[in-house]
Amino acid sequence: AQSVSQHNHHVILSEAASLELGCNYSYGGTVNLFWYVQYPGQHLQLLLKYFSGDPLVKGIKGFEAEFIKSKFSFNLRKPSVQWSDTAEYFCAVIGAAGNKLTFGGGTRVLVKP
Amino acid sequence: GAGVSQSPSNKVTEKGKDVELRCDPISGHTALYWYRQSLGQGLEFLIYFQGNSAPDKSGLPSDRFSAERTGGSVSTLTIQRTQQEDSAVYLCASSRNSGAANHEQFFGPGTRLTVL
């Protein structure tokens, strides 16, 4: 069975700080990887996704993630956060032949102005 | 265009009552998914539909949970004899196709269910 682990449950940082959220997955095959974000009071939105090709993927709002196959990791980064990045971030994986997303436990990020 | 919509946005019910949650997917999306978001359990898959068929019901937690989809569009998730542990946010998502893992799933705003 596939599983996803997010290392940090809560992150607090100041504006302009850099952000890195860890994500590791367990799955015995080819996977597609996603980061979703849930802003306060809003629904889940896709930040970025990796299917194949360049392991460094860029998403919306200046976010990027790097797929490291040997480490089963898909860490999310942003060089300089803004107050508006306050949200909960979810890493998710789906098997290449699958249909259902398996989510990590989420990381709540609070950016102090 | 319109996104995934869900109704009601909030539902408070008494233990033992039945509830129905509705999902309207994005027009033209053939695949529809139900997930549950609860404290301590995170986001969990419940069931997915391809058209009106449900090839994967593996996430339904008990036989009190059922879902149907009609006309390849609207879906209803029914919980019978609700229990307090059913309290959660129930999320619906749709995608252009299923079995195609590279199709983004678009999520609705969810229905917050509280069982007293």
Side-chain angles (χ1 to χ4, degrees):
Chain A
Q2 55 199 43
S3 65
V4 179
S5 174
Q6 292 182 237
H7 313 303
N8 308 98
H9 297 296
H10 292 90
V11 172
I12 301 174
L13 58 168
S14 300
E15 278 192 313
S18 64
L19 173 70
E20 180 160 1
L21 302 182
C23 172
N24 285 89
Y25 67 93
S26 172
Y27 186 76
T30 304
V31 294
N32 295 324
L33 297 150
F34 306 81
W35 275 97
Y36 280 85
V37 61
Q38 190 169 29
Y39 297 105
Q42 297 187 27
H43 56 273
L44 278 168
Q45 303 170 43
L46 184 68
L47 262 183
L48 48 77
K49 57 192 176 188
Y50 173 80
F51 296 148
S52 63
D54 189 344
L56 184 62
V57 293
K58 295 191 183 299
I60 60 172
K61 305 187 180 186
F63 284 91
E64 64 179 30
E66 184 175 13
F67 171 52
I68 303 179
K69 188 175 181 180
S70 61
K71 295 185 178 180
F72 298 91
S73 70
F74 189 56
N75 293 352
L76 180 71
R77 297 193 291 256
K78 185 169 183 178
S80 177
V81 296
Q82 300 174 308
W83 175 79
S84 57
D85 294 321
T86 293
E88 189 162 14
Y89 294 80
F90 295 91
C91 182
V93 63
I94 189 170
N99 46 68
K100 59 190 177 189
L101 289 165
T102 298
F103 287 89
T107 299
R108 291 184 183 270
V109 174
L110 173 63
V111 180
K112 297 187 293 184
Chain B
V4 178
S5 61
Q6 294 185 245
S7 60
S9 55
N10 281 285
K11 177 72 177 178
V12 180
T13 190
E14 293 179 347
K15 178 181 172 181
K17 295 286 180 68
D18 298 351
V19 295
E20 285 189 352
L21 313 179
R22 176 186 168 107
C23 172
D24 278 278
I26 293 172
S27 177
H29 280 194
T30 61
L32 185 147
Y33 312 80
W34 284 97
Y35 294 86
R36 178 168 74 171
Q37 186 175 22
S38 56
L39 288 174
Q41 299 296 322
L43 272 155
E44 307 170 282
F45 167 82
L46 297 177
I47 186 171
Y48 107 89
F49 289 89
Q50 170 61 28
N52 293 336
S53 301
D56 190 346
K57 306 178 183 180
S58 62
L60 294 178
S62 76
D63 59 8
R64 295 186 295 106
F65 287 72
S66 63
E68 65 175 13
R69 189 179 184 195
T70 55
S73 181
V74 171
S75 176
T76 302
L77 177 69
T78 301
I79 309 173
Q80 296 179 308
R81 305 180 303 282
T82 52
Q83 303 294 312
Q84 288 180 334
E85 62 263 27
D86 300 334
S87 295
V89 177
Y90 288 83
L91 297 172
C92 178
S94 69
S95 68
R96 281 190 288 128
N97 198 358
S98 66
N102 57 352
H103 284 175
E104 177 185 349
Q105 295 183 23
F106 293 83
F107 283 81
T111 293
R112 182 175 296 277
L113 174 66
T114 303
V115 182
L116 301 177

